Amino acid sequence: MQTIGHFINGSVVNDNARTQDVFNPSTGKPSKKVALAAKSTVEEAITAAQAAYPEWRNTPPIKRARIMYRFKALLESNAEKICQMIGDEHGKIAHDAMGELQRGIENVEYACGAPELLKGEHSRNVGPNIDSWSEFQPLGVVAGITPFNFPAMVPLWMYPIALVCGNCFILKPSERDPSSTLFIVELLKEAGLPDGVMNLVNGDKEAVDTLLEDERVKAVSFVGSTPIAEYIYRTASANGKRCQALGGAKNHAIVMPDADIDNAVAQLLGAAFGSSGERCMALSVAVAVGDETADALVAKMQAGMASLKVGASSDSSNDFGPVITKQHQQKVIGYIDSAEQDGATVVVDGRSPTVEGYEEGFFVGGTLIDHVKPDMVSYKEEIFGPVLQVVRVKTMEEAMTLINEHEYGNGTCIFTRDGEAARYFSDNILVGMVGINIPLPVPVAYHSFGGWKRSLFGDLAAYGPDGVRFYTKRKTITQRWPSAGVREGIQFSMPTMN
């Protein structure tokens, strides 16, 4: 059985250490193994990155950008192969995997603007014959730790920007679906990236802790669950590192009485069940304002869900595929059980889907639960599966209070025809990414992605302008060249322009 190795200093290596099975979630069977890096292997990657840094730091931004242009072309020409890898190990249907990859490519496109992104600021004559300017310089060796649910896109949120800013990078991807991530990193070498600038180590907590504790790593980016995000942020910060750690979510959609219900249902079907709900931006709670609105929403959702197709990633006619592991399948089913036991109504039950020929796959069907209350465990916690819960409230203010009081603040949206209500909602909701009649308000590559509250630890969001700021540090230079024969006397007070 093939073993997926690491990518260090321009070559794929296998340290012959521990391994772990990589499953095909559609069949429920192991298809490969992945090496789990020992501490010494991670340290080897850090050493390679540190050695490559001085030359890469001094490479002109336009030359770094040209590598990204070639990298983008290679991603596009290998898209079908990459999406096949994602499907085999994550379970995504081809159309969903292609959407993920395209979103990642858009971040590469943004990184191609490195010469513009890294331009500093200049002020002439801030004082007599004194000029001042700022530069954005790289940090050094930086690292990214990424989740299973977007093995192509989330890493591409990180290292293209980090690299064009002049840093060297070490990626620790999810060990559950490592093949596409490694293949994409190999494309960087084909695009002309010098050896050692980009490295990848597969692994578990041992690899993560090595990155967090090694003083040569100057910054860490993370995307994953909130408990791990909090651990990453605290540990990295305690070790003097810059850190951005994106955590979990419980994304609500308010459905107002004046909403176009047919449009809202169509949008919710995709946002709740796409990628089996394994998205940090998945809409998992619909907050219906008024029982009449709720009754219409639930009836139309139930009708729409009748045609949903869950099945193997190899069949592109399916709407969504399996969840990532057997353990996660049981966890999602446990949340559905919990909601039912707490008094909610399971309107559409996806606990026992039939997928002919794939009986051992990790499938959960689309599930709709009505009459969910805020004190239920299934409401409070992130389910991360194809489950949509409906909460009924009387007013928009009550709906907004639910969202604002929840510990997560990643994404939210409102369905309404009322511009005044939409404006009030966007101004006063305590969530980082807001949609108006848009269920998945994921910012485009030239904005930045990040939630509020316990959905983001750190001051800077991912990719876009915040990504550039995260992977650089500002240096301000003030200079004067005195005129011949002109000398100032000693000055003990703070210099001013009075």
Side-chain angles (χ1 to χ4, degrees):
M1 186 177 289
Q2 179 187 358
T3 298
I4 305 299
H6 320 291
F7 187 84
I8 298 175
N9 204 24
S11 299
V12 176
V13 300
N14 191 332
D15 56 9
N16 295 314
R18 298 171 297 130
T19 61
Q20 176 176 303
D21 286 338
V22 177
F23 285 82
N24 182 328
S26 296
T27 65
K29 306 294 184 183
S31 59
K32 299 173 185 176
K33 289 185 178 292
V34 60
L36 303 178
K39 180 179 181 180
S40 59
T41 303
V42 181
E43 290 174 337
E44 180 185 347
I46 298 171
T47 298
Q50 189 179 42
Y53 175 61
E55 183 175 351
W56 183 245
R57 176 187 188 276
N58 291 316
T59 299
I62 187 63
K63 290 189 175 181
R64 300 182 206 143
R66 286 170 183 161
I67 293 172
M68 287 298 147
Y69 278 112
R70 293 192 290 270
F71 180 48
K72 172 183 178 292
L74 288 169
L75 288 171
E76 291 170 338
S77 62
N78 287 277
E80 187 174 339
K81 182 176 181 179
I82 293 168
C83 292
Q84 178 71 46
M85 293 178 176
I86 294 172
D88 288 346
E89 295 179 1
H90 176 279
K92 280 185 184 173
I93 312 303
H95 52 77
D96 191 14
M98 191 63 74
E100 168 186 350
L101 180 59
Q102 178 57 37
R103 275 290 186 143
I105 289 172
E106 288 166 11
N107 283 276
V108 178
E109 290 174 336
Y110 181 74
C112 288
E116 177 69 23
L117 299 173
L118 295 173
K119 283 166 62 175
E121 302 159 343
H122 185 274
S123 295
R124 178 177 172 82
N125 280 341
V126 297
N129 298 315
I130 299 174
D131 301 331
S132 185
W133 71 90
S134 61
E135 301 173 353
F136 300 104
Q137 298 190 350
L139 304 178
V141 177
V142 299
I145 302 166
T146 56
F148 74 84
N149 59 327
F150 288 102
M153 182 184 75
V154 172
L156 290 171
W157 285 1
M158 300 177 184
Y159 62 77
I161 290 293
L163 295 177
V164 298
C165 288
N167 302 281
C168 291
F169 203 92
I170 300 166
L171 176 63
K172 205 303 285 183
S174 172
E175 64 278 14
R176 301 197 184 283
D177 45 7
S179 293
S180 63
T181 316
L182 175 61
F183 178 72
I184 290 172
V185 167
E186 290 181 280
L187 292 180
L188 266 174
K189 179 180 174 70
E190 187 176 341
L193 191 74
D195 292 347
V197 175
M198 180 70 197
N199 303 274
L200 179 152
V201 289
N202 293 299
D204 51 15
K205 191 174 186 296
E206 181 176 350
V208 169
D209 285 346
T210 304
L211 292 172
L212 295 177
E213 294 166 3
D214 195 302
E215 64 181 11
R216 295 172 294 177
V217 177
K218 303 303 180 184
V220 176
S221 301
F222 172 82
V223 176
S225 69
T226 285
I228 304 302
E230 191 166 27
Y231 170 78
I232 296 286
Y233 182 76
R234 287 180 174 175
T235 307
S237 299
N239 284 284
K241 305 182 192 305
R242 183 178 290 184
C243 185
Q244 56 178 188
L246 283 68
K250 194 75 175 184
N251 304 318
H252 299 64
I254 296 179
V255 183
M256 296 291 288
D258 70 336
D260 180 336
I261 293 293
D262 290 331
N263 175 64
V265 166
Q267 299 299 314
L268 286 170
L269 285 169
F273 306 120
S275 200
S276 297
E278 292 177 319
R279 297 168 173 161
C280 68
M281 288 297 284
L283 268 175
S284 55
V285 181
V287 186
V289 178
D291 281 334
E292 185 176 345
T293 304
D295 290 343
L297 177 67
V298 170
K300 289 181 177 290
M301 284 294 301
Q302 184 176 10
M305 291 173 66
S307 61
L308 287 181
K309 289 184 62 179
V310 57
S313 62
S314 56
D315 185 350
S316 60
S317 70
N318 289 323
D319 296 307
F320 59 95
V323 296
I324 189 67
T325 63
K326 183 70 172 179
Q327 293 79 6
H328 191 59
Q329 178 194 43
Q330 295 307 309
K331 183 178 180 181
V332 173
I333 291 171
Y335 278 119
I336 301 170
D337 293 341
S338 171
E340 188 173 48
Q341 291 162 9
D342 287 341
T345 304
V346 179
V347 179
V348 179
D349 193 340
R351 284 174 283 192
S352 300
T354 299
V355 182
E356 188 174 348
Y358 295 91
E359 288 77 12
E360 300 300 316
F362 310 140
F363 295 100
V364 180
T367 299
L368 178 65
I369 306 176
D370 194 7
H371 299 289
V372 172
K373 303 296 183 184
D375 60 351
M376 295 180 180
V377 171
S378 63
Y379 170 81
K380 294 178 183 178
E381 298 182 6
E382 184 177 32
I383 296 176
F384 221 59
V387 179
L388 178 66
Q389 297 180 293
V390 178
V391 177
R392 295 169 178 244
V393 298
K394 295 179 180 178
T395 65
M396 176 179 168
E397 288 73 17
E398 186 181 348
M400 289 179 62
T401 298
L402 275 178
I403 298 170
N404 287 343
E405 290 182 350
H406 203 283
E407 66 173 323
Y408 296 129
N410 206 48
T412 189
C413 75
I414 187 170
F415 290 98
T416 182
R417 291 186 175 97
D418 187 334
E420 181 181 4
R423 184 179 178 88
Y424 181 83
F425 175 76
S426 61
D427 282 351
N428 293 281
I429 205 69
L430 302 180
V431 174
M433 293 171 283
V434 179
I436 309 298
N437 298 315
I438 293 176
L440 293 174
V442 180
V444 293
Y446 42 90
H447 287 268
S448 295
F449 180 106
W452 287 11
K453 297 182 281 189
R454 288 175 57 77
S455 292
L456 172 65
F457 298 88
D459 295 325
L460 292 169
Y463 67 77
D466 270 17
V468 176
R469 294 296 176 263
F470 181 78
Y471 291 118
T472 59
K473 51 190 173 185
R474 180 188 295 265
K475 178 182 286 185
T476 303
I477 299 106
T478 305
Q479 94 175 354
R480 174 172 58 190
W481 296 102
S483 300
V486 178
R487 295 291 184 271
E488 288 192 4
I490 299 173
Q491 180 177 336
F492 293 100
S493 60
M494 175 64 68
T496 70
M497 280 302 295
N498 288 338

